[in-house]
Amino acid sequence: MYCSECGSKIKKTDTYCGECGAKVEKKENKKTPKKEKQIKLTKRKKIILGIIGAFLVILIGFYIYFEHRYSPESVATRYLDTVINGNVDEIYDVLETDKDNPFVSLKKFKEIYKEDASDIEVINYKLKDVEYGEEKLTSVVTFSVVTMDDEEEVMVPLVKSEENKLLIFDNWKITNSNNSYIAYDYEIAVPKNSNVEIDGIKVDKNYLNKNQSNSSVDTYVIPEIFVGDYNIKITLENDIKINDEIHISGYDKTYTADISIDDIEEDALNELETNIKDDINTLYKNIIDKKTWEAVKDNYKNVSKDLQSEYKDLYDELVREEDITLTKFSVTKVDIEDVAIEEGKFEIDFTFDYDYSIKYINYADEEKTKDDDASNSSTILYNYKDGKYLLYDIDGTVSYFSRW
């Protein structure tokens, strides 16, 4: 550093120059403050920012509104309101069910519950508690309900659906835990290849459970169906129709088709009677012709072992017996008394009249003949296949023929 007067070298700490005595002037190193940058918004930008702000406010309000609307307590409250007011549309909307299933459609719900509007005289109710299950997949909302006569707690169970509401909100549905609305896995067992309708809705092959079906019975399983009273119509493969009334509940969940003689039209009864007459006559003709079971078994396919035993017993008694020979047997009349379905087969109780002729050896060792008629009661079982009744079993054949 140098003196500004004489140019002599001086120290930074000197106040005066040691040569000329001049006062040392020290320069202050002042920094010039930077000017802050001013941001000026255009009118257009201000409008855009205002729109964004308003949108955010609306979006937040929208989220808060729908988060509350779809909460368990809100869904349960609306449900309780609809039950009290008997509004079936809104009850259906919050039910957890497959809306594509025709047996749990809104139309069917209205038909089932059109007369079930609530008659509870509720004065007031208030929310008491909300309890969540494991991982918050279920919940129970409890209300205190005041009626004309009492005050009680009403618990509304809910379950979280896999599909969200509006993509982001939990979708809570009223469960059917007390089986009050829906019966699950309702089973219908009918003879093979029958057509089934429930209140005019066809139970198609999509509901056929192959694991529970067999060679003579088709079992249909309906995943969900509303609890209530229905008309069921079953058209069998032989075109016989069964019209029945059924009550479906959450606990009575099976129906097995049964038939009565009243379900069968006269022409169909006549066909059955003719079939029975021909089958019995054929069976006894084989006996009269002395044909063993081995000789005729190809004509009796898919029959019961009892029928085989019945035939062999008849053969032993009427062919191998030495003192009596059956020479004629003819069924003249068949009267059907009752019809049922047993494991997919037609079980028919009937009486029949018949004529017969026998040869026998009397006590004088003389050959005699006798012609007579009689009647008998019997039960026969049929399979129905390819338009034909196929003999499966018969109980009550005639093995005794009086010579007196």
Side-chain angles (χ1 to χ4, degrees), residues 75 78-79 90-96 172-174:
V75 173
R78 292 199 305 276
Y79 170 74
E90 293 190 28
I91 296 174
Y92 179 79
D93 184 57
V94 296
L95 274 179
E96 183 200 16
W172 290 95
K173 293 288 186 180
I174 306 299

Side-chain angles (χ1 to χ4, degrees), residues 88 92 95 102-117 180-183 198-199 201 225-231 246-249:
V88 294
Y92 179 79
L95 274 179
F103 297 102
V104 287
S105 66
L106 175 58
K107 178 182 177 183
K108 181 55 62 180
F109 189 67
K110 286 183 175 181
E111 290 174 4
I112 293 294
Y113 293 103
K114 61 184 177 181
E115 297 178 357
D116 285 0
S180 57
Y181 290 115
I182 301 168
I198 298 178
D199 276 4
I201 301 174
I225 187 168
F226 286 127
V227 169
D229 296 320
Y230 294 85
N231 293 314
I246 56 176
H247 176 75
I248 296 176
S249 72

Side-chain angles (χ1 to χ4, degrees), residues 95-98 101-105 108-109 112-113 175-188 198 207 220-230 246-255:
L95 274 179
E96 183 200 16
T97 186
D98 178 9
N101 178 347
F103 297 102
V104 287
S105 66
K108 181 55 62 180
F109 189 67
I112 293 294
Y113 293 103
T175 65
N176 190 50
S177 59
N178 59 355
N179 299 306
S180 57
Y181 290 115
I182 301 168
Y184 297 104
D185 296 328
Y186 188 77
E187 295 182 10
I188 302 171
I198 298 178
Y207 298 104
Y220 294 88
V221 179
I222 301 175
E224 297 179 349
I225 187 168
F226 286 127
V227 169
D229 296 320
Y230 294 85
I246 56 176
H247 176 75
I248 296 176
S249 72
Y251 306 98
D252 183 12
K253 300 195 295 183
T254 59
Y255 173 83

Side-chain angles (χ1 to χ4, degrees), residues 133-188:
E134 187 176 353
E135 296 183 4
K136 288 193 172 184
L137 296 178
T138 61
S139 64
V140 176
V141 181
T142 304
F143 295 90
S144 176
V145 178
V146 180
T147 66
M148 292 290 292
D149 303 318
D150 198 6
E151 180 177 354
E152 59 180 315
E153 286 189 350
V154 174
M155 291 183 290
V156 180
L158 300 99
V159 64
K160 188 188 292 186
S161 178
E162 292 181 0
E163 296 181 0
N164 288 342
K165 285 280 191 180
L166 303 178
L167 301 179
I168 60 174
F169 299 103
D170 290 339
N171 186 8
W172 290 95
K173 293 288 186 180
I174 306 299
T175 65
N176 190 50
S177 59
N178 59 355
N179 299 306
S180 57
Y181 290 115
I182 301 168
Y184 297 104
D185 296 328
Y186 188 77
E187 295 182 10
I188 302 171

